[in-house]
């Protein structure tokens, strides 16, 4: 799979990219906020997006809503900090594929990817 990562933390980018590549997938774009996701979605055409909830400029849930409004149905796995549960539940109601709570382990990423490959 070609995967887009959206997060405002360079540390999360490094970690997630490592896990994605070790599991045999490719990171096709790294966004720092939701606006960058929207701006690059057509060109990069990812199979999956890992999306942080809290980001500057445009947060994850807003970017997710706008994707769905423009009929982009790419699966989105939200990355949430502790305390984001309500937001995440709303996202799931609106069709998010999954969510992972930070700090996540490599095993969490592998399981989330395996679930989507089936
Ligand atoms: Mg963040």
């Amino acid at each position: 799979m070609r995967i887009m990562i959206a997060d405002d933390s360079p540390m999360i980018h490094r970690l997630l990219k490592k896990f994605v590549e070790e599991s045999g997938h490719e990171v096709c774009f790294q966004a720092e906020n939701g606006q960058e996701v929207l701006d690059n979605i057509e060109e990069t055409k990812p199979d999956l997006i890992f999306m942080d909830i809290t980001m500057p400029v445009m947060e994850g849930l807003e970017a997710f809503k706008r994707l769905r409004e423009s009929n982009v149905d790419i699966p989105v796995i939200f990355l949430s900090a502790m305390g984001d549960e309500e937001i995440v539940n709303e996202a799931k109601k609106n069709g998010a594929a999954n969510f992972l709570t930070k700090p996540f382990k490599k095993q969490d990423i592998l399981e989330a990817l395996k679930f989507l490959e089936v």
Side-chain angles (χ1 to χ4, degrees), residues 7-8 52 54-55 102:
D7 201 297
D8 58 327
D52 185 24
T54 309
M55 293 184 283
K102 299 177 189 177

PDB file of all heavy atoms in Angstrom, residues 7-8 52 54-55 102, ligand 1:
ATOM      1  N   ASP A   7       0.715  14.425  10.372  1.00  0.00           N
ATOM      2  CA  ASP A   7       0.919  14.687  11.801  1.00  0.00           C
ATOM      3  C   ASP A   7       1.813  15.917  11.919  1.00  0.00           C
ATOM      4  O   ASP A   7       2.641  16.167  11.046  1.00  0.00           O
ATOM      5  CB  ASP A   7       1.589  13.478  12.475  1.00  0.00           C
ATOM      6  CG  ASP A   7       1.361  13.458  13.987  1.00  0.00           C
ATOM      7  OD1 ASP A   7       1.816  14.401  14.676  1.00  0.00           O
ATOM      8  OD2 ASP A   7       0.717  12.514  14.470  1.00  0.00           O
ATOM      9  N   ASP A   8       1.637  16.687  12.992  1.00  0.00           N
ATOM     10  CA  ASP A   8       2.488  17.867  13.166  1.00  0.00           C
ATOM     11  C   ASP A   8       3.746  17.551  13.979  1.00  0.00           C
ATOM     12  O   ASP A   8       4.545  18.448  14.241  1.00  0.00           O
ATOM     13  CB  ASP A   8       1.711  19.033  13.795  1.00  0.00           C
ATOM     14  CG  ASP A   8       1.104  18.668  15.142  1.00  0.00           C
ATOM     15  OD1 ASP A   8       0.713  17.488  15.320  1.00  0.00           O
ATOM     16  OD2 ASP A   8       1.019  19.546  16.015  1.00  0.00           O
ATOM     17  N   ASP A  52      -3.364  12.425  12.206  1.00  0.00           N
ATOM     18  CA  ASP A  52      -3.389  12.960  13.572  1.00  0.00           C
ATOM     19  C   ASP A  52      -4.682  13.751  13.767  1.00  0.00           C
ATOM     20  O   ASP A  52      -5.238  14.298  12.802  1.00  0.00           O
ATOM     21  CB  ASP A  52      -2.159  13.873  13.751  1.00  0.00           C
ATOM     22  CG  ASP A  52      -1.992  14.394  15.168  1.00  0.00           C
ATOM     23  OD1 ASP A  52      -2.489  13.752  16.109  1.00  0.00           O
ATOM     24  OD2 ASP A  52      -1.343  15.448  15.317  1.00  0.00           O
ATOM     25  N   THR A  54      -5.074  16.351  16.319  1.00  0.00           N
ATOM     26  CA  THR A  54      -4.743  17.741  16.641  1.00  0.00           C
ATOM     27  C   THR A  54      -3.540  18.216  15.838  1.00  0.00           C
ATOM     28  O   THR A  54      -2.423  17.735  16.028  1.00  0.00           O
ATOM     29  CB  THR A  54      -4.444  17.884  18.149  1.00  0.00           C
ATOM     30  OG1 THR A  54      -5.521  17.298  18.879  1.00  0.00           O
ATOM     31  CG2 THR A  54      -4.314  19.343  18.534  1.00  0.00           C
ATOM     32  N   MET A  55      -3.809  19.108  14.888  1.00  0.00           N
ATOM     33  CA  MET A  55      -2.750  19.686  14.056  1.00  0.00           C
ATOM     34  C   MET A  55      -3.067  21.164  13.846  1.00  0.00           C
ATOM     35  O   MET A  55      -4.238  21.544  13.848  1.00  0.00           O
ATOM     36  CB  MET A  55      -2.706  18.984  12.683  1.00  0.00           C
ATOM     37  CG  MET A  55      -2.277  17.532  12.725  1.00  0.00           C
ATOM     38  SD  MET A  55      -2.143  16.791  11.072  1.00  0.00           S
ATOM     39  CE  MET A  55      -3.880  16.508  10.690  1.00  0.00           C
ATOM     40  N   LYS A 102      -1.871   7.187  20.756  1.00  0.00           N
ATOM     41  CA  LYS A 102      -0.446   7.406  21.012  1.00  0.00           C
ATOM     42  C   LYS A 102      -0.164   7.211  22.500  1.00  0.00           C
ATOM     43  O   LYS A 102      -0.988   7.627  23.315  1.00  0.00           O
ATOM     44  CB  LYS A 102      -0.053   8.837  20.626  1.00  0.00           C
ATOM     45  CG  LYS A 102      -0.262   9.166  19.165  1.00  0.00           C
ATOM     46  CD  LYS A 102       0.096  10.640  18.969  1.00  0.00           C
ATOM     47  CE  LYS A 102      -0.297  11.124  17.591  1.00  0.00           C
ATOM     48  NZ  LYS A 102      -0.035  12.563  17.414  1.00  0.00           N
TER      49      LYS A 102
HETATM   50 MG1  LIG B   1      -0.715  16.684  16.751  1.00  0.00          MG
END
